[in-house]
Amino acid sequence: MSSLTLSQQSDDQFTLSGELTRYSVADKTLVQQLLTSSSATVALDLNDVSHVDTAGLAWLLDSLSQLHKQGKELRLQHIPEQLQKLMQLGQVDNIFE
């Protein structure tokens, strides 16, 4: 089983570390942590993400959707090349701009 950690750096800044895969995104508390931010824009640093699959991309899209329901934006920082390719293949790369 792969490991994924979400750390809060400040009210609006979070860092994901580990593998963003179907095995790690099942933890619903990760999204809840993002929703605790009182900031209108939540920044998610992906610099320490070592592997991403389509379930990881789906988790990011779901997180974006849940934040939008609260009137918040999600900004991705340091997007790994593997995720950029998945976003292009799924034609969702413009959603996170």
Side-chain angles (χ1 to χ4, degrees), residues 28-42:
K28 300 299 182 195
T29 61
L30 294 174
V31 174
Q32 295 305 315
Q33 283 180 272
L34 290 176
L35 296 174
T36 63
S37 173
S38 61
S39 179
T41 301
V42 176

Side-chain angles (χ1 to χ4, degrees), residues 30-83:
L30 294 174
V31 174
Q32 295 305 315
Q33 283 180 272
L34 290 176
L35 296 174
T36 63
S37 173
S38 61
S39 179
T41 301
V42 176
L44 185 58
D45 187 339
L46 304 173
N47 193 52
D48 295 330
V49 172
S50 59
H51 182 72
V52 182
D53 66 11
T54 54
L57 175 57
W59 180 86
L60 288 170
L61 291 168
D62 182 60
S63 298
L64 175 71
S65 174
Q66 290 192 44
L67 285 165
H68 275 191
K69 289 177 186 176
Q70 290 189 347
K72 300 176 184 179
E73 292 185 39
L74 178 63
R75 299 268 184 224
L76 301 181
Q77 300 172 333
H78 306 111
I79 303 171
E81 185 177 338
Q82 186 179 30
L83 177 57

